Amino acid sequence: MADTGAVKSENTPFEGGPMDGRVLPVLLGPTGRPPKTYRIPVPDAAGGPPTVLVYRLVPRGHSRMGIQKGWKYEYAAEGEKGVARLKWPWSKPDGSNDSPKDGPADTEG
């Protein structure tokens, strides 16, 4: 395996779902914090599209003085729908928009 140099990781526990009780090394970002969401693709036994398990980052707990102890991932049973995504002006809509695409619905003539 190649030397990763300055890349840092942290052993992060997972709670809930199929990964409950496991601890995995998760790469840290430039600020020293793990990513907000962790997606794990699970291959389908029948050869279909993989199922994606989604975990959300939450604080592990706080000390008596209020200092955060670290991070853990909790299972997001709702999947991708419960995870907030960045909304850039040039991004395509996700299809959950309630506005009509063909124009006003109450046109009377």
Side-chain angles (χ1 to χ4, degrees):
M1 192 159 135
D3 181 28
T4 57
V7 178
K8 296 190 184 232
S9 65
E10 179 179 304
N11 289 334
T12 308
F14 286 75
E15 288 187 357
M19 298 290 291
D20 190 29
R22 295 192 185 182
V23 178
L24 297 177
V26 176
L27 295 178
L28 303 177
T31 61
R33 181 177 171 173
K36 290 181 181 180
T37 57
Y38 197 84
R39 293 171 182 82
I40 304 169
V42 179
D44 187 31
T51 303
V52 179
L53 302 175
V54 179
Y55 285 83
R56 187 175 304 123
L57 186 68
V58 294
R60 189 182 299 177
H62 294 83
S63 68
R64 291 183 187 177
M65 297 181 67
I67 298 172
Q68 186 174 323
K69 291 183 178 180
W71 300 100
K72 66 181 178 181
Y73 283 104
E74 283 185 351
Y75 181 63
E78 64 275 4
E80 297 284 339
K81 294 178 181 136
V83 178
R85 299 184 73 82
L86 291 175
K87 301 202 188 255
W88 299 101
W90 54 84
S91 298
K92 294 181 182 179
D94 60 357
S96 63
N97 192 357
D98 293 335
S99 64
K101 294 181 180 179
D102 297 331
D106 54 20
T107 57
E108 297 179 18

